Amino acid sequence: MKLYNYFRSSASFRVRIALQLKGLAYDYVPVHLAKGEQKAEAFGAVTAEHLVPVLELADGRRLTQSMAIIEYLDEAHPQPALLPADALGRARVRALAQLIACEVHPLNNLRVLKCLVHELKVSEAAKNDWYKHWVRLGLLACEAHLAEQPGRFSHGDAPTLADCCLVPQIFNAQRFDCDLSGLPRTLAVFDACMKLSAFQKAQPSACPDAE
């Protein structure tokens, strides 16, 4: 398999975590988002969305969108499972994952931040305030959900799809100096994840294109 990704892309980070948790080997294909490499015509032949991650399977078929990729991996390689066996558990894990992937991340990804600055002429300080505002709201909601059903990880005592989404968001929050006070459960889950080699090997600083 090949994974087209960028070391700072949180969506790519999610997939790298899933691949590491499942012990699946892949070739790392860097696409430098900050330099605009995703806009190149050649990458458009890889994916019409001009986004990472893209997972290319051994037979050449390509999958896009981190959540879909991770669920494919979980179905194609069931162990260790990233979704619970029970329907209510799967719904809870998907909700926690989507809280990050669908509510927080879309407002704060690189192309949105660039649009705020370059097209809407928002100041750097205002852009950062925007970023911190939405991260804070999302993580407070996450904290409330985690407190309802405490466990070592986001759901129970093993990593799930929810943790694949949470950890990259905390990395980004730390990089942008977001307020992480009042989030004891969230940060405890983050710390538990980062004690595992799969999360350590998937983190941005471990990527071959890290800067």
Side-chain angles (χ1 to χ4, degrees):
M1 294 187 291
K2 293 180 182 177
L3 182 67
Y4 295 82
N5 69 165
Y6 177 51
F7 79 105
R8 278 195 179 135
S9 162
S10 58
S12 298
F13 192 175
R14 296 169 197 155
V15 176
R16 295 197 304 266
I17 292 169
L19 287 164
Q20 290 290 346
L21 284 169
K22 290 184 176 292
L24 298 173
Y26 64 95
D27 293 328
Y28 188 108
V29 183
V31 181
H32 202 298
L33 300 187
K35 293 180 180 178
E37 291 180 358
Q38 74 278 13
K39 299 176 183 177
E41 184 177 347
F43 190 62
V46 173
T47 170
E49 297 149 71
H50 290 268
L51 298 171
V52 294
V54 178
L55 182 68
E56 184 174 306
L57 306 179
D59 63 6
R61 286 180 292 178
R62 299 184 180 116
L63 304 176
T64 62
Q65 296 297 327
S66 63
M67 304 287 274
I69 292 171
I70 295 172
E71 292 221 25
Y72 163 80
L73 291 172
D74 208 40
E75 293 176 11
H77 307 275
Q79 297 301 323
L82 297 179
L83 285 166
D86 64 298
L88 282 175
R90 289 194 299 275
R92 181 171 186 265
V93 166
R94 287 186 174 117
L96 288 168
Q98 290 174 24
L99 174 58
I100 301 298
C102 302
E103 300 294 337
V104 179
H105 179 243
L107 292 166
N108 289 325
N109 67 26
L110 182 62
R111 61 180 179 167
V112 168
L113 299 181
K114 282 191 171 185
C115 179
L116 286 173
V117 172
H118 299 300
E119 296 179 33
L120 300 180
K121 307 305 179 184
V122 170
S123 69
E124 189 71 14
K127 179 205 75 173
N128 289 336
D129 286 344
W130 164 279
Y131 188 100
K132 294 174 182 179
H133 172 78
W134 296 114
V135 168
R136 179 72 178 166
L137 281 182
L139 291 181
L140 285 172
C142 182
E143 178 72 17
H145 285 301
L146 294 180
E148 292 170 355
Q149 193 172 323
R152 184 182 173 202
F153 295 96
S154 292
H155 185 83
D157 293 322
T160 64
L161 171 64
D163 302 295
C164 292
C165 293
L166 177 62
V167 166
Q169 186 57 69
I170 297 297
F171 264 77
N172 282 349
Q174 291 173 335
R175 188 162 67 90
F176 278 82
D177 196 27
C178 296
D179 180 7
L180 297 178
S181 63
L183 302 170
R185 286 295 316 133
T186 302
L187 295 180
V189 168
F190 174 75
D191 289 341
C193 289
M194 292 312 299
K195 290 177 181 176
L196 301 181
S197 62
F199 287 85
Q200 294 171 12
K201 291 177 180 177
Q203 68 178 302
S205 62
C207 293
D209 59 337
E211 298 173 354

